[in-house]
Amino acid sequence: MIVVMKIGSSQDEAGGVVKRIEEIGLKAHLSQGVEHTVIGVLGQTFPELQDMLQMLPGVEDVIPVSKPYKIASREFHPENSIVRVNGLAIGGDEVVIMAGPCAVESQEQLLATAQEVKAAGANILRGGAFKPSTSPYHFRGLGLEGLKMLVKAREETGMPFVTEVMAPGDVESVARYADIVQIGTRNMQNFALLDEVGKLRKPVMLKRGLSSTIQEWLLAAEYILSQGNEQLILCERGIRTFETATRNTIDISAIPVIKRLSHLPIIADPSHGTGKWYLVSPMALAAVAAGADGLMIEVHPNPDLALKDGPQSLTFDNFRRLMSRLAPVAQAMDRKLATTGAKVKS
Amino acid sequence: MIVVMKIGSSQDEAGGVVKRIEEIGLKAHLSQGVEHTVIGVLGQTFPELQDMLQMLPGVEDVIPVSKPYKIASREFHPENSIVRVNGLAIGGDEVVIMAGPCAVESQEQLLATAQEVKAAGANILRGGAFKPSTSPYHFRGLGLEGLKMLVKAREETGMPFVTEVMAPGDVESVARYADIVQIGTRNMQNFALLDEVGKLRKPVMLKRGLSSTIQEWLLAAEYILSQGNEQLILCERGIRTFETATRNTIDISAIPVIKRLSHLPIIADPSHGTGKWYLVSPMALAAVAAGADGLMIEVHPNPDLALKDGPQSLTFDNFRRLMSRLAPVAQAMDRKLATTGAKVKS
Amino acid sequence: MIVVMKIGSSQDEAGGVVKRIEEIGLKAHLSQGVEHTVIGVLGQTFPELQDMLQMLPGVEDVIPVSKPYKIASREFHPENSIVRVNGLAIGGDEVVIMAGPCAVESQEQLLATAQEVKAAGANILRGGAFKPSTSPYHFRGLGLEGLKMLVKAREETGMPFVTEVMAPGDVESVARYADIVQIGTRNMQNFALLDEVGKLRKPVMLKRGLSSTIQEWLLAAEYILSQGNEQLILCERGIRTFETATRNTIDISAIPVIKRLSHLPIIADPSHGTGKWYLVSPMALAAVAAGADGLMIEVHPNPDLALKDGPQSLTFDNFRRLMSRLAPVAQAMDRKLATTGAKVKS
Amino acid sequence: MIVVMKIGSSQDEAGGVVKRIEEIGLKAHLSQGVEHTVIGVLGQTFPELQDMLQMLPGVEDVIPVSKPYKIASREFHPENSIVRVNGLAIGGDEVVIMAGPCAVESQEQLLATAQEVKAAGANILRGGAFKPSTSPYHFRGLGLEGLKMLVKAREETGMPFVTEVMAPGDVESVARYADIVQIGTRNMQNFALLDEVGKLRKPVMLKRGLSSTIQEWLLAAEYILSQGNEQLILCERGIRTFETATRNTIDISAIPVIKRLSHLPIIADPSHGTGKWYLVSPMALAAVAAGADGLMIEVHPNPDLALKDGPQSLTFDNFRRLMSRLAPVAQAMDRKLATTGAKVKS
């Protein structure tokens, strides 16, 4: 941490900063510039220190030079982390495809979709049982009943599934059924929920908050990691901007940024990221070209009858077409589409 | 709801839309424009309908013309709602001032602050016991112990207090102690938490989400109202924009927008809204001039020693100076600063 | 400027940075932290230096600690600057009101509006002759003919006028007629235009760009000031955010931020800032409470017949009502509404 | 255009709207909903009409249902437009690569870069002679001298070049030298400049404004097209968001959105789009996977010595590496890298 003193600040003021730093048990190193006096803080700093020093008389700015997250950082863990699910390795050479309906609506809808996406090459089934809804009057999911339908679909198809949990009190029961527990965008900073899934010892997928910086996202990841759960996957799903042609602006550049800052696997959700079915395939291809470890794609037997997010769901035909385009793009990136899981069973 | 058909769409496609509308039990009214065929939907629509109709062949756009919230709307309740706390009327003619430290740090810090802000004219004490923190390594509040310090401060000063709840499981205990239960910005769409505080029968203050539209905010309010809790106060606290000179951009215009769309009281939090103590007073004055029903101001005995948010906290002196400026501005707006509560006790 | 070296960077890398700094003719001061080596740059730096040093091997970050603008800064000019127009002092104790139609449409429309706003207390007439339009098919203003109508209105009412210039080639003719030359939001970084108005020796009003940070705005001001034109007024007019309830989000906090960073006068335009006539008065009052030196308000005889921006224009009645509310708010802020100009003539 | 009347509005108010529509020479079609009366406007509407009708008593909302741009729309021109430059076809099957330094700094720097990028497979040379700079104290380009260096580089390498024009008065001279005239992000709504390049009969590249919606971008394109210049290329270069890990957020989804709405070719500039050299290659690959017709890449012999934008420039080595990765991704998309131009000469 570096403290920059104001132009014209007094020696006493600099002395006051040094004194405060030493009271806390750290060392200070004072450097006299032509314009500014600069004080380096030596020793293990902590985030509150920035605010504290900021307030002292004569201080212009306090600049943290270490990243505020540790376990999530690539410095801490230089190799890529790999999260294993049912024989799949997420974060390795293979690109993993999660697909299924936005919401579980019925056993038939779910099963039909699961069978189709598996046949087309998907590795993991997605489906929401507990659904966040902007309005209290919207469909909020089938809850526990939906979870059981997902279990049934897993039994029938052999595909593991990912599903969202929205309340700390539901973590235990969702984790009992699901293969991957998802934290949705609105809950990225629901710290009570992060603590709870951090206590699990099974894979968690953490979606980026709608208006979260990448640093805030990695700090949310740090909540989970610091509770001891290292089976963590990140998911870029679009951020809120001024643009209205798309539901969100999917930040494809977040993929290589995360790869540089962190060792965690990262996948992309072009369905929520764009909100338009006709943008899902181009953005899925772009995400893989940018280095994504996987994709999460919404597929529905009849998007025009879907209870949630029909406009961003692919039909079976469109999903098959996407899968056939994905393979050569993955190959061009020296990767391939994962086949474990699906293949093992069929 | 209005369905606009594409240029060149067929009569059959329009017929398909009409058929779907009628299947759902609603009526359709077809109108042939020069460029577009337009179909009005007659009867009580529901939000999912927009997505459903959007997907039908030949449809260009589906436009909802009713607001998606009901109980929160001014149409539903034309008069201003008033929330009563300890003899104070929030949402009436008087401007109510909530003040205190960001976080409860100790009984002495809290009590000293409570006495000072009361003497300066504040009506309600604020103080965080459960604190959201972007980093797992930051101070996260004193929890239950902090709540008890707030109770003690209330006993000593007679001031009611407002404090945040962050998890559904804590709602009952926070509500037992607090006079107003606060939902913080990160939890505006924590629907499990909204459901829980909706079941209370005591005042709730709902902060605007960091990147929430006003419509989403009113829908979050609708969650609470639709559970039967009508004692609801909104709080504007800044939105996330590209600007970096301030911590957030406080959206002062949200105050008259809310007044037009809704009957709910609205206050402003210029401390979080700006993140800089030297902007708190100008924004507090601006909020009252724009029609705010109250303010929430962070005050700390020694902002440079604060564990949380020192840079945005006022000293006792600065708070007194603000209060003396607020009175004439309130008067210029034909309002006055509330005196109930504080006065009753001193 | 401060260079922070990466954890684990070598002594040679630090030596390379020091060498480069010295080659440029500056001095380097190396300070060894526990985690990071930090190198302070001593002497007069320049903005490109940040990019240059950033690229050197082993460098983690380069932090500029001086502001990039000089003449616009309060350090350079501690007292408030005052811009004088026709006996009015913009930036002093008085609050100056500019009012008139968005676009000059006809001599009658302009004259009727000028007489009304003057009678209600406005000091300066506004009216667009050259109009920016998002679409090439919209009304783009009356041009030179509109300028002449503004001159005529000035002769009849004695009010000075402000009007926009959009192209470097028009600066001379607009400046010949206008009392204040306006640079619109879309042209805040039209550097050829800034250079041109910087060569004038008459008042310029520089609107904030739709997505400009305050620092970029002050750098645009620096373009004008550095050409020798010190008669510069800033105008906050709303920034682009995700919110759709308003046309823009008016950043009221920019007013005290500018007052702290700069000596330049700042006014607010709540008409463009909100895009809704019913938000203009609350935001005008808020701006004055926040310390604005003036306001720019769109007024139209028949907003529903306006060729441009009718929805954000006040009727004569609403403008009179606003003026009667503004006076006590200005007074509560120890200021008063300007009367020079208008008074001189009536 | 559709006018939605307020709940509870009177028959007289609806009559007033119908009357106004008919006065303008259009027809009105009134449709009585259960909640809302809706009035369709028949005939050729114009954009100002929305504002006009919005203001009438009893009107809730006015919804335009036609796109505001015509010539730029795919409805107007269903096939892809192709812009031809020196034997290259931009917008066809081949992916065109523009590369070179951000700014022309010297004849040697430019020539060395041109030869290298050509050898690596680039088709068009880029280089700024007139440079926009946020600060008046930054390097603003070599101007006319820089243009002549570009001409010399073209003579030596046979590569056509693209360069920016910033002022209407410079359009003629820039167009005399350049093969493609670029409008930069800050000038996307510099309407005087758009008019000027619209009068040219040579290729123009229009960058997206930093905070422009896609609709505003297509309207800016419409300015140029409506002046008769149909040789227009769009360039996505990142938008301004809250994220600070990147200089801008490159909106990869804009590529398929533009392809759907318009027939114009679209390329991507991952250098400005990210501001970080290590993100340029992943985003270049992503853009091609998303359907971009080309790329614009900043390359510099010594990025750490660059006068502008070094941190986002590729070294020669990194550019060659990118080109070798691009070819298989293009192939996976059933396209190939363009070879005309470069090949012709070598």
PDB file of all heavy atoms in Angstrom, chain B residues 256 289-290 333, chain C residues 270 274 276-287 295 297 314 318-319 321-323 325-326:
ATOM      1  N   PRO B 256     -38.157  12.333  -7.484  1.00  0.00           N
ATOM      2  CA  PRO B 256     -39.448  12.692  -8.092  1.00  0.00           C
ATOM      3  C   PRO B 256     -40.021  11.623  -9.016  1.00  0.00           C
ATOM      4  O   PRO B 256     -41.243  11.574  -9.194  1.00  0.00           O
ATOM      5  CB  PRO B 256     -39.136  13.990  -8.858  1.00  0.00           C
ATOM      6  CG  PRO B 256     -37.645  14.027  -9.007  1.00  0.00           C
ATOM      7  CD  PRO B 256     -37.088  13.286  -7.834  1.00  0.00           C
ATOM      8  N   ALA B 289     -34.388  19.229  -1.546  1.00  0.00           N
ATOM      9  CA  ALA B 289     -34.955  20.142  -2.546  1.00  0.00           C
ATOM     10  C   ALA B 289     -35.701  19.372  -3.636  1.00  0.00           C
ATOM     11  O   ALA B 289     -36.637  19.885  -4.247  1.00  0.00           O
ATOM     12  CB  ALA B 289     -33.849  20.997  -3.163  1.00  0.00           C
ATOM     13  N   ALA B 290     -35.301  18.129  -3.879  1.00  0.00           N
ATOM     14  CA  ALA B 290     -35.963  17.323  -4.904  1.00  0.00           C
ATOM     15  C   ALA B 290     -37.194  16.602  -4.372  1.00  0.00           C
ATOM     16  O   ALA B 290     -37.893  15.938  -5.132  1.00  0.00           O
ATOM     17  CB  ALA B 290     -34.977  16.299  -5.469  1.00  0.00           C
ATOM     18  N   MET B 333     -39.077  24.492   0.811  1.00  0.00           N
ATOM     19  CA  MET B 333     -39.905  23.496   0.126  1.00  0.00           C
ATOM     20  C   MET B 333     -41.248  23.298   0.838  1.00  0.00           C
ATOM     21  O   MET B 333     -41.948  22.318   0.572  1.00  0.00           O
ATOM     22  CB  MET B 333     -39.171  22.153   0.069  1.00  0.00           C
ATOM     23  CG  MET B 333     -37.842  22.187  -0.671  1.00  0.00           C
ATOM     24  SD  MET B 333     -38.013  22.741  -2.382  1.00  0.00           S
ATOM     25  CE  MET B 333     -39.124  21.460  -3.021  1.00  0.00           C
TER      26      MET B 333
ATOM     27  N   PRO C 270     -31.481  20.743 -16.352  1.00  0.00           N
ATOM     28  CA  PRO C 270     -32.366  19.643 -15.958  1.00  0.00           C
ATOM     29  C   PRO C 270     -33.324  19.216 -17.071  1.00  0.00           C
ATOM     30  O   PRO C 270     -33.944  18.158 -16.967  1.00  0.00           O
ATOM     31  CB  PRO C 270     -33.131  20.202 -14.756  1.00  0.00           C
ATOM     32  CG  PRO C 270     -33.076  21.676 -14.912  1.00  0.00           C
ATOM     33  CD  PRO C 270     -31.807  21.984 -15.656  1.00  0.00           C
ATOM     34  N   THR C 274     -33.034  15.188 -17.694  1.00  0.00           N
ATOM     35  CA  THR C 274     -34.089  14.238 -17.325  1.00  0.00           C
ATOM     36  C   THR C 274     -34.935  13.830 -18.532  1.00  0.00           C
ATOM     37  O   THR C 274     -35.423  12.708 -18.579  1.00  0.00           O
ATOM     38  CB  THR C 274     -35.044  14.845 -16.277  1.00  0.00           C
ATOM     39  OG1 THR C 274     -35.714  15.965 -16.858  1.00  0.00           O
ATOM     40  CG2 THR C 274     -34.278  15.302 -15.032  1.00  0.00           C
ATOM     41  N   LYS C 276     -37.888  14.820 -19.120  1.00  0.00           N
ATOM     42  CA  LYS C 276     -39.304  14.811 -18.744  1.00  0.00           C
ATOM     43  C   LYS C 276     -39.642  16.144 -18.075  1.00  0.00           C
ATOM     44  O   LYS C 276     -39.019  16.504 -17.066  1.00  0.00           O
ATOM     45  CB  LYS C 276     -39.579  13.701 -17.708  1.00  0.00           C
ATOM     46  CG  LYS C 276     -39.023  12.337 -18.057  1.00  0.00           C
ATOM     47  CD  LYS C 276     -39.950  11.568 -18.960  1.00  0.00           C
ATOM     48  CE  LYS C 276     -39.390  10.175 -19.195  1.00  0.00           C
ATOM     49  NZ  LYS C 276     -40.149   9.423 -20.181  1.00  0.00           N
ATOM     50  N   TRP C 277     -40.629  16.815 -18.582  1.00  0.00           N
ATOM     51  CA  TRP C 277     -40.961  18.142 -18.044  1.00  0.00           C
ATOM     52  C   TRP C 277     -41.267  18.084 -16.556  1.00  0.00           C
ATOM     53  O   TRP C 277     -40.945  19.018 -15.816  1.00  0.00           O
ATOM     54  CB  TRP C 277     -42.113  18.782 -18.822  1.00  0.00           C
ATOM     55  CG  TRP C 277     -43.428  18.082 -18.635  1.00  0.00           C
ATOM     56  CD1 TRP C 277     -43.952  17.106 -19.420  1.00  0.00           C
ATOM     57  CD2 TRP C 277     -44.359  18.295 -17.581  1.00  0.00           C
ATOM     58  NE1 TRP C 277     -45.154  16.682 -18.924  1.00  0.00           N
ATOM     59  CE2 TRP C 277     -45.429  17.409 -17.793  1.00  0.00           C
ATOM     60  CE3 TRP C 277     -44.410  19.162 -16.478  1.00  0.00           C
ATOM     61  CZ2 TRP C 277     -46.541  17.341 -16.941  1.00  0.00           C
ATOM     62  CZ3 TRP C 277     -45.504  19.099 -15.620  1.00  0.00           C
ATOM     63  CH2 TRP C 277     -46.555  18.190 -15.857  1.00  0.00           C
ATOM     64  N   TYR C 278     -41.881  16.978 -16.080  1.00  0.00           N
ATOM     65  CA  TYR C 278     -42.291  16.955 -14.676  1.00  0.00           C
ATOM     66  C   TYR C 278     -41.126  16.718 -13.727  1.00  0.00           C
ATOM     67  O   TYR C 278     -41.291  16.751 -12.522  1.00  0.00           O
ATOM     68  CB  TYR C 278     -43.404  15.924 -14.450  1.00  0.00           C
ATOM     69  CG  TYR C 278     -43.087  14.534 -14.950  1.00  0.00           C
ATOM     70  CD1 TYR C 278     -42.353  13.646 -14.187  1.00  0.00           C
ATOM     71  CD2 TYR C 278     -43.528  14.112 -16.203  1.00  0.00           C
ATOM     72  CE1 TYR C 278     -42.059  12.376 -14.648  1.00  0.00           C
ATOM     73  CE2 TYR C 278     -43.235  12.860 -16.678  1.00  0.00           C
ATOM     74  CZ  TYR C 278     -42.507  11.995 -15.900  1.00  0.00           C
ATOM     75  OH  TYR C 278     -42.223  10.735 -16.358  1.00  0.00           O
ATOM     76  N   LEU C 279     -39.934  16.435 -14.274  1.00  0.00           N
ATOM     77  CA  LEU C 279     -38.746  16.296 -13.431  1.00  0.00           C
ATOM     78  C   LEU C 279     -37.876  17.555 -13.469  1.00  0.00           C
ATOM     79  O   LEU C 279     -36.910  17.666 -12.713  1.00  0.00           O
ATOM     80  CB  LEU C 279     -37.914  15.089 -13.885  1.00  0.00           C
ATOM     81  CG  LEU C 279     -38.631  13.731 -13.824  1.00  0.00           C
ATOM     82  CD1 LEU C 279     -37.743  12.640 -14.417  1.00  0.00           C
ATOM     83  CD2 LEU C 279     -39.017  13.378 -12.389  1.00  0.00           C
ATOM     84  N   VAL C 280     -38.195  18.490 -14.359  1.00  0.00           N
ATOM     85  CA  VAL C 280     -37.338  19.666 -14.530  1.00  0.00           C
ATOM     86  C   VAL C 280     -37.306  20.517 -13.267  1.00  0.00           C
ATOM     87  O   VAL C 280     -36.225  20.895 -12.780  1.00  0.00           O
ATOM     88  CB  VAL C 280     -37.791  20.494 -15.752  1.00  0.00           C
ATOM     89  CG1 VAL C 280     -37.080  21.840 -15.792  1.00  0.00           C
ATOM     90  CG2 VAL C 280     -37.531  19.708 -17.038  1.00  0.00           C
ATOM     91  N   SER C 281     -38.459  20.813 -12.682  1.00  0.00           N
ATOM     92  CA  SER C 281     -38.462  21.685 -11.504  1.00  0.00           C
ATOM     93  C   SER C 281     -37.762  21.032 -10.306  1.00  0.00           C
ATOM     94  O   SER C 281     -36.889  21.657  -9.709  1.00  0.00           O
ATOM     95  CB  SER C 281     -39.886  22.110 -11.156  1.00  0.00           C
ATOM     96  OG  SER C 281     -40.342  23.040 -12.124  1.00  0.00           O
ATOM     97  N   PRO C 282     -38.087  19.781  -9.943  1.00  0.00           N
ATOM     98  CA  PRO C 282     -37.353  19.186  -8.806  1.00  0.00           C
ATOM     99  C   PRO C 282     -35.839  19.161  -9.028  1.00  0.00           C
ATOM    100  O   PRO C 282     -35.077  19.419  -8.092  1.00  0.00           O
ATOM    101  CB  PRO C 282     -37.908  17.753  -8.723  1.00  0.00           C
ATOM    102  CG  PRO C 282     -39.158  17.734  -9.506  1.00  0.00           C
ATOM    103  CD  PRO C 282     -39.173  18.906 -10.423  1.00  0.00           C
ATOM    104  N   MET C 283     -35.404  18.896 -10.246  1.00  0.00           N
ATOM    105  CA  MET C 283     -33.962  18.820 -10.477  1.00  0.00           C
ATOM    106  C   MET C 283     -33.332  20.217 -10.545  1.00  0.00           C
ATOM    107  O   MET C 283     -32.171  20.397 -10.178  1.00  0.00           O
ATOM    108  CB  MET C 283     -33.650  18.034 -11.756  1.00  0.00           C
ATOM    109  CG  MET C 283     -33.885  16.551 -11.623  1.00  0.00           C
ATOM    110  SD  MET C 283     -32.993  15.797 -10.209  1.00  0.00           S
ATOM    111  CE  MET C 283     -34.348  15.709  -9.019  1.00  0.00           C
ATOM    112  N   ALA C 284     -34.100  21.209 -10.975  1.00  0.00           N
ATOM    113  CA  ALA C 284     -33.596  22.591 -10.955  1.00  0.00           C
ATOM    114  C   ALA C 284     -33.368  23.018  -9.499  1.00  0.00           C
ATOM    115  O   ALA C 284     -32.328  23.579  -9.145  1.00  0.00           O
ATOM    116  CB  ALA C 284     -34.600  23.519 -11.636  1.00  0.00           C
ATOM    117  N   LEU C 285     -34.319  22.712  -8.636  1.00  0.00           N
ATOM    118  CA  LEU C 285     -34.196  23.051  -7.219  1.00  0.00           C
ATOM    119  C   LEU C 285     -33.029  22.290  -6.590  1.00  0.00           C
ATOM    120  O   LEU C 285     -32.241  22.856  -5.821  1.00  0.00           O
ATOM    121  CB  LEU C 285     -35.506  22.718  -6.486  1.00  0.00           C
ATOM    122  CG  LEU C 285     -36.725  23.534  -6.940  1.00  0.00           C
ATOM    123  CD1 LEU C 285     -38.016  22.895  -6.463  1.00  0.00           C
ATOM    124  CD2 LEU C 285     -36.619  24.974  -6.446  1.00  0.00           C
ATOM    125  N   ALA C 286     -32.901  21.020  -6.932  1.00  0.00           N
ATOM    126  CA  ALA C 286     -31.811  20.206  -6.377  1.00  0.00           C
ATOM    127  C   ALA C 286     -30.453  20.754  -6.810  1.00  0.00           C
ATOM    128  O   ALA C 286     -29.507  20.812  -6.014  1.00  0.00           O
ATOM    129  CB  ALA C 286     -31.961  18.751  -6.833  1.00  0.00           C
ATOM    130  N   ALA C 287     -30.346  21.181  -8.055  1.00  0.00           N
ATOM    131  CA  ALA C 287     -29.063  21.687  -8.561  1.00  0.00           C
ATOM    132  C   ALA C 287     -28.650  22.942  -7.804  1.00  0.00           C
ATOM    133  O   ALA C 287     -27.482  23.111  -7.442  1.00  0.00           O
ATOM    134  CB  ALA C 287     -29.176  21.963 -10.064  1.00  0.00           C
ATOM    135  N   LEU C 295     -28.825  27.805 -14.107  1.00  0.00           N
ATOM    136  CA  LEU C 295     -29.656  26.756 -14.693  1.00  0.00           C
ATOM    137  C   LEU C 295     -29.923  27.090 -16.145  1.00  0.00           C
ATOM    138  O   LEU C 295     -29.966  28.267 -16.522  1.00  0.00           O
ATOM    139  CB  LEU C 295     -31.008  26.674 -13.968  1.00  0.00           C
ATOM    140  CG  LEU C 295     -30.982  26.268 -12.509  1.00  0.00           C
ATOM    141  CD1 LEU C 295     -32.348  26.520 -11.872  1.00  0.00           C
ATOM    142  CD2 LEU C 295     -30.596  24.793 -12.362  1.00  0.00           C
ATOM    143  N   ILE C 297     -32.941  26.119 -18.784  1.00  0.00           N
ATOM    144  CA  ILE C 297     -34.275  25.508 -18.758  1.00  0.00           C
ATOM    145  C   ILE C 297     -34.947  25.679 -20.115  1.00  0.00           C
ATOM    146  O   ILE C 297     -34.990  26.788 -20.656  1.00  0.00           O
ATOM    147  CB  ILE C 297     -35.166  26.198 -17.690  1.00  0.00           C
ATOM    148  CG1 ILE C 297     -34.480  26.243 -16.314  1.00  0.00           C
ATOM    149  CG2 ILE C 297     -36.536  25.537 -17.611  1.00  0.00           C
ATOM    150  CD1 ILE C 297     -34.482  24.969 -15.540  1.00  0.00           C
ATOM    151  N   LEU C 314     -40.887  23.164 -20.372  1.00  0.00           N
ATOM    152  CA  LEU C 314     -41.907  23.703 -19.486  1.00  0.00           C
ATOM    153  C   LEU C 314     -42.833  24.643 -20.269  1.00  0.00           C
ATOM    154  O   LEU C 314     -42.391  25.346 -21.175  1.00  0.00           O
ATOM    155  CB  LEU C 314     -41.252  24.490 -18.346  1.00  0.00           C
ATOM    156  CG  LEU C 314     -40.386  23.713 -17.369  1.00  0.00           C
ATOM    157  CD1 LEU C 314     -40.002  24.614 -16.183  1.00  0.00           C
ATOM    158  CD2 LEU C 314     -41.092  22.460 -16.862  1.00  0.00           C
ATOM    159  N   ASN C 318     -45.655  26.717 -15.996  1.00  0.00           N
ATOM    160  CA  ASN C 318     -44.767  25.889 -15.176  1.00  0.00           C
ATOM    161  C   ASN C 318     -43.439  26.594 -14.921  1.00  0.00           C
ATOM    162  O   ASN C 318     -42.848  26.438 -13.853  1.00  0.00           O
ATOM    163  CB  ASN C 318     -44.531  24.527 -15.844  1.00  0.00           C
ATOM    164  CG  ASN C 318     -45.713  23.604 -15.641  1.00  0.00           C
ATOM    165  OD1 ASN C 318     -46.435  23.723 -14.643  1.00  0.00           O
ATOM    166  ND2 ASN C 318     -45.942  22.702 -16.586  1.00  0.00           N
ATOM    167  N   PHE C 319     -42.965  27.364 -15.894  1.00  0.00           N
ATOM    168  CA  PHE C 319     -41.704  28.084 -15.685  1.00  0.00           C
ATOM    169  C   PHE C 319     -41.870  29.150 -14.599  1.00  0.00           C
ATOM    170  O   PHE C 319     -41.017  29.304 -13.733  1.00  0.00           O
ATOM    171  CB  PHE C 319     -41.220  28.713 -16.998  1.00  0.00           C
ATOM    172  CG  PHE C 319     -39.903  29.430 -16.852  1.00  0.00           C
ATOM    173  CD1 PHE C 319     -38.734  28.738 -16.567  1.00  0.00           C
ATOM    174  CD2 PHE C 319     -39.842  30.825 -16.958  1.00  0.00           C
ATOM    175  CE1 PHE C 319     -37.520  29.403 -16.415  1.00  0.00           C
ATOM    176  CE2 PHE C 319     -38.629  31.488 -16.810  1.00  0.00           C
ATOM    177  CZ  PHE C 319     -37.472  30.779 -16.528  1.00  0.00           C
ATOM    178  N   ARG C 321     -43.951  29.072 -12.162  1.00  0.00           N
ATOM    179  CA  ARG C 321     -44.045  28.367 -10.879  1.00  0.00           C
ATOM    180  C   ARG C 321     -42.658  27.945 -10.389  1.00  0.00           C
ATOM    181  O   ARG C 321     -42.343  28.077  -9.208  1.00  0.00           O
ATOM    182  CB  ARG C 321     -44.945  27.129 -11.061  1.00  0.00           C
ATOM    183  CG  ARG C 321     -46.143  27.126 -10.132  1.00  0.00           C
ATOM    184  CD  ARG C 321     -47.115  26.017 -10.507  1.00  0.00           C
ATOM    185  NE  ARG C 321     -48.188  26.529 -11.335  1.00  0.00           N
ATOM    186  CZ  ARG C 321     -48.695  25.937 -12.427  1.00  0.00           C
ATOM    187  NH1 ARG C 321     -48.200  24.770 -12.842  1.00  0.00           N
ATOM    188  NH2 ARG C 321     -49.674  26.496 -13.093  1.00  0.00           N
ATOM    189  N   LEU C 322     -41.847  27.453 -11.303  1.00  0.00           N
ATOM    190  CA  LEU C 322     -40.480  27.073 -10.913  1.00  0.00           C
ATOM    191  C   LEU C 322     -39.716  28.280 -10.375  1.00  0.00           C
ATOM    192  O   LEU C 322     -39.065  28.209  -9.326  1.00  0.00           O
ATOM    193  CB  LEU C 322     -39.734  26.489 -12.133  1.00  0.00           C
ATOM    194  CG  LEU C 322     -38.211  26.351 -11.970  1.00  0.00           C
ATOM    195  CD1 LEU C 322     -37.851  25.460 -10.776  1.00  0.00           C
ATOM    196  CD2 LEU C 322     -37.586  25.792 -13.240  1.00  0.00           C
ATOM    197  N   MET C 323     -39.810  29.420 -11.073  1.00  0.00           N
ATOM    198  CA  MET C 323     -39.048  30.606 -10.643  1.00  0.00           C
ATOM    199  C   MET C 323     -39.473  31.033  -9.235  1.00  0.00           C
ATOM    200  O   MET C 323     -38.637  31.456  -8.433  1.00  0.00           O
ATOM    201  CB  MET C 323     -39.251  31.755 -11.641  1.00  0.00           C
ATOM    202  CG  MET C 323     -38.577  31.528 -12.998  1.00  0.00           C
ATOM    203  SD  MET C 323     -36.771  31.268 -12.935  1.00  0.00           S
ATOM    204  CE  MET C 323     -36.205  32.927 -12.517  1.00  0.00           C
ATOM    205  N   ARG C 325     -40.470  29.117  -6.880  1.00  0.00           N
ATOM    206  CA  ARG C 325     -39.920  28.165  -5.894  1.00  0.00           C
ATOM    207  C   ARG C 325     -38.411  28.330  -5.766  1.00  0.00           C
ATOM    208  O   ARG C 325     -37.829  28.027  -4.719  1.00  0.00           O
ATOM    209  CB  ARG C 325     -40.185  26.718  -6.325  1.00  0.00           C
ATOM    210  CG  ARG C 325     -41.621  26.280  -6.244  1.00  0.00           C
ATOM    211  CD  ARG C 325     -41.718  24.834  -5.753  1.00  0.00           C
ATOM    212  NE  ARG C 325     -41.591  24.814  -4.309  1.00  0.00           N
ATOM    213  CZ  ARG C 325     -42.599  24.619  -3.477  1.00  0.00           C
ATOM    214  NH1 ARG C 325     -43.803  24.392  -3.935  1.00  0.00           N
ATOM    215  NH2 ARG C 325     -42.391  24.631  -2.184  1.00  0.00           N
ATOM    216  N   LEU C 326     -37.763  28.743  -6.851  1.00  0.00           N
ATOM    217  CA  LEU C 326     -36.292  28.816  -6.845  1.00  0.00           C
ATOM    218  C   LEU C 326     -35.786  29.885  -5.879  1.00  0.00           C
ATOM    219  O   LEU C 326     -34.766  29.676  -5.211  1.00  0.00           O
ATOM    220  CB  LEU C 326     -35.766  29.162  -8.241  1.00  0.00           C
ATOM    221  CG  LEU C 326     -35.440  28.003  -9.162  1.00  0.00           C
ATOM    222  CD1 LEU C 326     -35.050  28.551 -10.528  1.00  0.00           C
ATOM    223  CD2 LEU C 326     -34.319  27.129  -8.604  1.00  0.00           C
TER     224      LEU C 326
END
